[in-house]
Amino acid sequence: MPTQSDLLHEINRTLGRLENSVERIREDFQQEKEDAHESRAVIHRRLDEHAKQMAKTDETIAIAGFVDAQIRDEVKALQKTVADNHEEVAPAIAEWRRIKLLGAGVGALLVLFGISVGSLIVWASDTASAIVRHWLKL
């Protein structure tokens, strides 16, 4: 049978092992606590970055909407200006079309006149050559 001092020694040794185990558990717990804190900090940084990106995106979308509306207004104003200018210059354009058509007609008449004069010259030269041959009796 073990003596009392052996039992005390065994109890002290068991308590020492228990203290070591508790210390390791505390260290592991502390390390997990620090890791969890670091992990949460990383998650919060990422969330902050995403929030900033979303804010920038919202701002960009709002600016794009304003620019789009401004461009739409400018396009409408330009369309109105073009329509007004078209109405103002429509008579001049019609007049130029008439002048162009008249010029084409005059050009066609000149071509016909040239063909007629050329035909007349050919006929006259043939007739003149026939008269000269008859006169010279060739």
Side-chain angles (χ1 to χ4, degrees):
M1 173 148 238
T3 64
Q4 192 176 13
S5 87
D6 288 339
L7 285 175
L8 282 177
H9 187 333
E10 185 65 29
I11 290 173
N12 281 337
R13 203 171 54 193
T14 305
L15 282 176
R17 280 192 305 230
L18 186 61
E19 281 180 350
N20 286 339
S21 295
V22 168
E23 186 61 31
R24 277 193 314 239
I25 290 172
R26 279 187 182 157
E27 288 173 1
D28 288 345
F29 181 73
Q30 185 63 30
Q31 184 63 39
E32 286 181 21
K33 200 169 142 183
E34 289 171 4
D35 290 345
H37 179 71
E38 186 178 322
S39 176
R40 283 192 302 274
V42 168
I43 290 172
H44 283 288
R45 272 195 305 269
R46 286 184 181 171
L47 285 173
D48 291 343
E49 289 173 7
H50 285 295
K52 287 177 185 177
Q53 287 176 349
M54 287 177 63
K56 285 181 182 179
T57 302
D58 289 345
E59 183 179 327
T60 303
I61 289 171
I63 290 171
F66 290 135
V67 169
D68 188 35
Q70 184 179 7
I71 290 172
R72 215 176 303 120
D73 292 341
E74 288 180 19
V75 167
K76 285 180 184 178
L78 287 174
Q79 285 176 338
K80 183 179 181 323
T81 303
V82 168
D84 292 345
N85 289 344
H86 183 68
E87 290 175 8
E88 289 177 12
V89 298
I93 291 173
E95 185 67 24
W96 275 105
R97 285 185 183 148
R98 190 181 69 76
I99 290 170
K100 184 178 165 185
L101 183 62
L102 185 63
V106 169
L109 285 177
L110 287 174
V111 167
L112 286 175
F113 180 70
I115 291 173
S116 299
V117 169
S119 298
L120 183 65
I121 290 172
V122 168
W123 175 79
S125 68
D126 284 345
T127 304
S129 103
I131 291 173
V132 170
R133 279 189 198 147
H134 179 58
W135 188 38
L136 295 175
K137 299 211 188 218
L138 292 176

